[in-house]
């Protein structure tokens, strides 16, 4: 079982879009996939038509195999299951930071539950916190969407610095460009500069800014299911291929 996180310390950059489309792509590639929606806003649960769980009252469920397993829901697609978001994830950070061996808790929980899956995809909320440290430790690879602008470049560099300072393996970081617009000089310039400065940490993928991705909210399904022959779907396919290669 491999763990793939979709993470950025910035919000609104395309983490959820990547989690949903890559989870679907991996499943189409024959993998059994569990998508954990760790963001209490529940966007990836929404895209897969799975309701957030209201029954769960505290985050302890996550560390109890039987309760975690019971919280998992099927999606419209075989071999693609969802752990829907729930309100206890609002306090997941505080909860994790109070636990013993707090940095490896997530990894332990996922290893126990994840045996029935080939890949567990984590759709993460945006911040650097106990939860993120758990995610960094647990993950085999971390997909980081980068909108090619100055601020996003800075955020990406902050993430790399965090890995340096905490002695974390930077090779897990797989940056890719998100919402890229070839008509914008700033985007093109930032992509070139970042490839020169951070080439090793970047996949050669740019998901274009595309209405098809926004329409996922209308269709409540991955892009490939309703716009499979179009550029955004092709970009997510490329992302999936790179991820599969990296996960081995
Ligand atoms: N490639 C894209 N093109 C156009 N809109 C996008 C693209 N990726 C994401 N979006 C839109 O941007 C918003 C934020 O995307 P989302 O994936 O939810 O980001 P995050 O999970 O990082 O907060 C959503 O409204 C989504 O529809
Ligand atoms: Mg999100």
């Amino acid at each position: 079982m491999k763990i793939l996180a979709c993470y950025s310390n910035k919000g609104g950059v395309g983490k959820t879009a990547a989690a949903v489309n890559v989870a679907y792509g991996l499943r189409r590639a024959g993998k059994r996939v569990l998508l954990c929606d760790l963001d209490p806003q529940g966007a990836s649960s929404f895209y897969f038509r799975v309701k957030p769980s209201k029954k769960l009252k505290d985050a302890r469920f996550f560390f109890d195999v039987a309760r975690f397993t019971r919280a998992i829901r099927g999606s419209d697609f075989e071999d693609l299951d969802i752990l829907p978001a729930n309100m206890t994830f609002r306090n997941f950070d505080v909860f994790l930071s109070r636990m013993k061996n707090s940095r490896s808790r997530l990894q332990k929980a996922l290893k126990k539950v994840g045996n029935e899956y080939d890949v567990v995809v984590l759709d993460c909320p945006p911040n650097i916190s106990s939860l993120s440290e758990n995610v960094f430790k647990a993950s085999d690879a971390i997909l980081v969407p980068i909108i090619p602008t100055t601020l996003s470049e800075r955020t990406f560099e902050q993430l790399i610095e965090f890995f340096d300072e905490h002695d974390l393996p930077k090779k897990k970081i797989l940056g890719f460009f998100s919402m890229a617009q070839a008509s914008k000089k700033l985007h093109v310039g930032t992509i070139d500069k970042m490839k020169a400065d951070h080439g090793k940490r970047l996949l050669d993928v740019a998901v274009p800014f595309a209405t098809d991705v926004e329409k996922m909210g209308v269709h409540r399904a991955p892009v490939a299911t309703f716009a499979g022959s179009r550029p955004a779907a092709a970009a997510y396919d490329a992302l999936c291929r790179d991820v599969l290669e990296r996960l081995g």
Side-chain angles (χ1 to χ4, degrees):
M1 188 266 291
K2 300 283 185 185
I3 301 174
L4 172 71
C6 295
Y7 171 84
S8 165
N9 27 347
K10 231 167 135 41
V13 295
K15 294 180 290 297
T16 296
V20 167
N21 289 298
V22 169
Y24 181 72
L26 292 173
R27 177 243 169 211
R28 277 210 306 183
K31 304 293 176 194
R32 295 163 306 164
V33 181
L34 172 66
L35 170 62
C36 297
D37 187 357
L38 299 181
D39 189 336
Q41 291 196 8
S44 50
S45 313
F46 175 83
Y47 284 135
F48 278 115
R49 303 169 189 267
V50 175
K51 286 207 178 100
S53 175
K54 285 197 186 129
K55 269 194 264 168
L56 299 165
K57 297 284 183 241
D58 77 81
R60 246 173 304 181
F61 88 91
F62 206 92
F63 305 96
D64 174 335
V65 179
R67 291 174 73 203
F68 188 154
T69 309
R70 251 183 282 135
I72 294 172
R73 299 283 171 268
S75 70
D76 292 344
F77 311 101
E78 203 180 320
D79 287 332
L80 172 48
D81 292 345
I82 315 291
L83 175 74
N86 68 77
M87 278 323 211
T88 74
F89 289 162
R90 271 183 317 174
N91 310 316
F92 210 11
D93 264 331
V94 185
F95 181 78
L96 276 169
S97 62
R98 285 187 190 145
M99 291 177 98
K100 265 197 204 158
N101 304 323
S102 62
R103 279 192 202 133
S104 49
R105 281 295 174 153
L106 189 70
Q107 187 171 34
K108 277 197 190 129
L110 291 173
K111 282 221 164 116
K112 278 190 198 149
V113 179
N115 282 335
E116 290 174 32
Y117 300 96
D118 299 310
V119 188
V120 176
V121 178
L122 307 175
D123 184 14
C124 300
N127 48 28
I128 288 201
S129 60
S130 307
L131 175 57
S132 342
E133 286 186 62
N134 265 273
V135 166
F136 300 157
K137 179 143 179 117
S139 305
D140 296 287
I142 306 166
L143 272 179
V144 185
I146 307 161
I147 303 176
T149 59
T150 321
L151 261 191
S152 300
E153 182 181 359
R154 213 174 140 251
T155 314
F156 189 66
E157 282 167 359
Q158 284 166 347
L159 179 65
I160 292 176
E161 268 168 38
F162 186 91
F163 269 63
D164 276 333
E165 282 163 15
H166 293 77
D167 233 353
L168 291 161
K170 281 183 294 195
K171 63 173 194 297
K172 287 185 182 181
I173 300 179
L174 309 178
F176 69 95
F177 295 105
S178 177
M179 303 192 212
Q181 289 174 278
S183 59
K184 285 190 177 166
K185 251 191 181 166
L186 176 67
H187 280 208
V188 176
T190 307
I191 289 177
D192 287 345
K193 180 168 179 295
M194 284 193 72
K195 278 185 178 169
D197 293 349
H198 303 289
K200 271 202 287 188
R201 310 275 157 252
L202 296 174
L203 298 175
D204 195 15
V205 175
V207 176
F209 186 90
T211 308
D212 288 329
V213 180
E214 294 176 303
K215 282 191 186 155
M216 281 167 55
V218 180
H219 295 273
R220 294 186 70 183
V223 171
T225 62
F226 61 89
S229 59
R230 296 168 57 86
Y236 286 121
D237 276 349
L239 197 55
C240 256
R241 277 196 300 274
D242 282 358
V243 163
L244 279 170
E245 202 174 291
R246 291 295 181 112
L247 288 178

